[in-house]
Amino acid sequence: SYQYPFIESIAAGSPLTIEAIVNAPTITLPNYLLGKYANNKNIMIMKVNGSSMDRLFPDGSLIAVLRNYDVENLNNGDIVVFQHDYEYSVKHFYNYSDKIVFRPNSSNEVFTDIVFKKDDSLNVEIIGKVVMYNVVLD
């Protein structure tokens, strides 16, 4: 097992800084839950707040986010945590020639794509790629 930074919730308006991660409480997870990412110092654990990805993982699930991930290596459909104007979200990532799209995966149709045109000055930061999530069925 290994201790990872644990971000219980990220409220809008509260920027997630490296200092916040360093000073975050920790959670201990057994190595088998993270597979090849076990003991990786770039992993942080976050608690999902909301249902925009509920077809994959419900509100309250834990996700493992690989920080310092090279955005050039992201594939369309990968799940990422991103930040825009200090609001954080977890969505599928799509990179098109003229835009970047963050797509929900929800049974609730209120959640729609978040689209950023590349010709705008993008104020979007990919925090990391989701490499593991848990689902509790009951």
Side-chain angles (χ1 to χ4, degrees):
S1 60
Y2 188 78
Q3 289 191 333
Y4 302 92
F6 178 57
I7 311 299
E8 190 163 352
S9 68
I10 300 175
S14 299
L16 178 64
T17 63
I18 295 301
E19 181 180 333
I21 293 168
V22 168
N23 294 325
T26 60
I27 186 171
T28 302
L29 294 178
N31 290 339
Y32 67 83
L33 280 181
L34 288 166
K36 70 180 184 178
Y37 298 103
N39 303 317
N40 186 319
K41 65 180 172 40
N42 288 312
I43 291 287
M44 69 177 170
I45 307 301
M46 301 175 91
K47 188 173 185 180
V48 174
N49 181 10
S51 58
S52 70
M53 295 293 286
D54 67 358
R55 286 189 177 152
L56 291 179
F57 41 82
D59 182 29
S61 297
L62 297 180
I63 58 176
V65 180
L66 180 61
R67 295 177 291 130
N68 302 324
Y69 190 84
D70 185 354
V71 176
E72 298 298 318
N73 290 331
L74 284 174
N75 295 308
N76 284 348
D78 282 349
I79 303 168
V80 299
V81 173
F82 72 98
Q83 176 265 126
H84 177 254
D85 291 339
Y86 302 124
E87 292 188 22
Y88 295 83
S89 192
V90 56
K91 302 279 187 285
H92 290 285
F93 168 86
Y94 293 90
N95 185 2
Y96 300 111
S97 60
D98 60 336
K99 62 188 172 188
I100 294 174
V101 176
F102 296 100
R103 182 162 294 150
N105 193 346
S106 178
S107 55
N108 186 339
E109 294 177 9
V110 71
F111 297 106
T112 58
D113 288 358
I114 300 169
V115 179
F116 296 97
K117 292 182 180 177
K118 287 186 178 177
D119 57 3
D120 295 339
S121 69
L122 289 178
N123 187 18
V124 176
E125 178 188 6
I126 304 290
I127 303 299
K129 178 180 176 180
V130 176
V131 295
M132 185 280 299
Y133 54 85
N134 81 319
V135 176
V136 177
L137 297 175
D138 190 11

